[in-house]
Amino acid sequence: MVKLLANKQGSDDDDDDDDYYSDDDDGDYTDDEDGEEELYNSGDRTEKEEFEKRMEMYMKEMLEEEGIDEESDESEEETKIVKKVVEPKKKKQKMESGQSASSSSGQSGVYFNVKFDLPRNKFNRVMCLSVQNANLRHLHNLLMYAFDWDDGHLHMFHTCKGEFTDRSMCQEGKEESKCRLDSVLNRSVDSIDYVYDFSSEWNISISLEKILTEQAMKAQAEKLNIELPNDLTKVVYCCGGLGGSIDEESGKKKGTFDINKENKRKFNIWN
């Protein structure tokens, strides 16, 4: 069992870090599992029912924010939202190959704004990513990208479902690539504890800032001048932060946050 200790202290010499967060007033969003297709094919009724229940809840919230009567079956807006959120899930269940319908069409339904925070070091990043195929391995990759770290140390997620890590590197915990992101980070459980480098012990708070529809995600990206990929299940970009950079070995900070610079870096979290 990895014990959580105090955050590694970094240098506070940089007092003029810029803090940036994007506004999402024009987008529609609501608050809310590894792109492993096994969720839909394993016969695990409990997991499937939990997922379906969450999706129904998201759709209901989206309808309410649109000002649509949820009891009206004839609403065109409701029909669009149903197709966007529910149909990709149903199609995925039917595909024998296990490949999601939304992956093949380049569409997905739900996106997370996730915050990686080192509060005592006054350093954070807010990242947007597609949820449909995301697991905890992807979340680890995203954090390495967000902090521009080298991924040279062991790590551990502490979640509502137990501890997860890369089992090829560490024998404690369960395999992170088998855990869907939205099974441990959602409307009911909106934070995860994460430790990176067991000797230095960076304690990083991971929190769910927003759950967005496809429309809201696109509106957010447009405001930030982000060019989205054709395959929207591969969406990942930076949408906020504090501090320029932080060294994973020394904890020293330098520079100020530049969102355009952050989004010019190329990194594939979906490996």
Side-chain angles (χ1 to χ4, degrees):
M1 177 73 67
V2 178
K3 295 182 178 179
L4 292 176
L5 300 179
N7 281 343
K8 179 175 178 180
Q9 293 293 324
S11 170
D12 286 330
D13 296 337
D14 185 3
D15 292 327
D16 58 349
D17 290 333
D18 293 336
D19 193 1
Y20 175 92
Y21 292 96
S22 66
D23 294 323
D24 221 1
D25 296 335
D26 296 333
D28 298 325
Y29 63 85
T30 63
D31 284 333
D32 175 354
E33 242 169 24
D34 140 354
E36 301 289 333
E37 291 78 6
E38 62 186 65
L39 172 66
Y40 300 97
N41 299 320
S42 64
D44 187 340
R45 295 299 303 172
T46 300
E47 289 293 326
K48 290 169 67 175
E49 289 171 357
E50 287 179 357
F51 181 75
E52 291 172 355
K53 184 177 180 180
R54 280 199 296 274
M55 295 301 289
E56 290 174 359
M57 179 175 63
Y58 301 157
M59 185 178 68
K60 180 179 179 181
E61 291 294 328
M62 283 187 281
L63 291 173
E64 291 177 352
E65 293 205 6
E66 288 284 344
I68 300 168
D69 182 358
E70 62 178 319
E71 296 182 356
S72 173
D73 295 330
E74 302 301 323
S75 168
E76 293 183 2
E77 289 83 358
E78 179 178 349
T79 300
K80 291 178 181 178
I81 294 175
V82 169
K83 288 182 178 180
K84 184 185 298 181
V85 179
V86 178
E87 287 188 358
K89 172 178 65 65
K90 290 183 177 179
K91 290 179 182 179
K92 184 172 184 177
Q93 291 174 315
K94 295 178 181 180
M95 295 183 70
E96 294 181 359
S97 65
Q99 181 181 11
S100 71
S102 57
S103 294
S104 61
S105 66
Q107 302 295 315
S108 68
V110 181
Y111 302 82
F112 282 1
N113 279 358
V114 176
K115 183 178 182 180
F116 303 114
D117 194 18
L118 286 166
R120 296 185 64 181
N121 301 85
K122 298 180 180 179
F123 186 89
N124 65 58
R125 289 291 184 269
V126 181
M127 309 295 295
C128 179
L129 78 159
S130 170
V131 178
Q132 182 161 322
N133 295 326
N135 58 47
L136 287 184
R137 175 68 56 78
H138 299 136
L139 189 65
H140 165 74
N141 292 343
L142 180 62
L143 192 152
M144 292 297 104
Y145 165 63
F147 282 14
D148 198 17
W149 285 356
D150 294 332
D151 196 9
H153 301 282
L154 299 177
H155 64 274
M156 185 73 71
F157 289 98
H158 298 267
T159 79
C160 61
K161 291 192 173 184
E163 297 179 337
F164 293 87
T165 189
D166 182 350
R167 289 281 294 174
S168 68
M169 303 296 294
C170 179
Q171 296 307 303
E172 296 184 42
K174 295 176 280 189
E175 173 53 46
E176 62 191 10
S177 65
K178 301 298 183 181
C179 180
R180 287 185 61 96
L181 173 58
D182 63 358
S183 72
V184 293
L185 192 66
N186 49 61
R187 179 190 295 265
S188 300
V189 185
D190 61 2
S191 65
I192 297 173
D193 291 324
Y194 173 93
V195 177
Y196 177 73
D197 187 351
F198 294 170
S199 59
S200 297
E201 292 190 325
W202 287 99
N203 291 325
I204 300 168
S205 173
I206 302 175
S207 59
L208 178 58
E209 296 290 288
K210 288 181 181 178
I211 297 177
L212 304 97
T213 63
E214 182 179 306
Q215 179 184 356
M217 180 279 294
K218 287 180 175 179
Q220 177 176 258
E222 184 177 3
K223 289 181 180 179
L224 298 173
N225 296 316
I226 304 295
E227 183 176 349
L228 297 174
N230 292 328
D231 184 355
L232 295 182
T233 67
K234 303 298 185 183
V235 164
V236 56
Y237 60 83
C238 180
C239 53
L242 174 65
S245 65
I246 188 166
D247 188 272
E248 64 182 286
E249 303 298 339
S250 67
K252 294 182 83 57
K253 297 188 299 178
K254 62 180 181 180
T256 57
F257 178 71
D258 184 336
I259 195 167
N260 294 320
K261 182 179 179 181
E262 292 295 314
N263 282 308
K264 285 181 180 178
R265 292 190 294 115
K266 302 299 181 182
F267 190 89
N268 183 14
I269 74 164
W270 306 107
N271 292 334

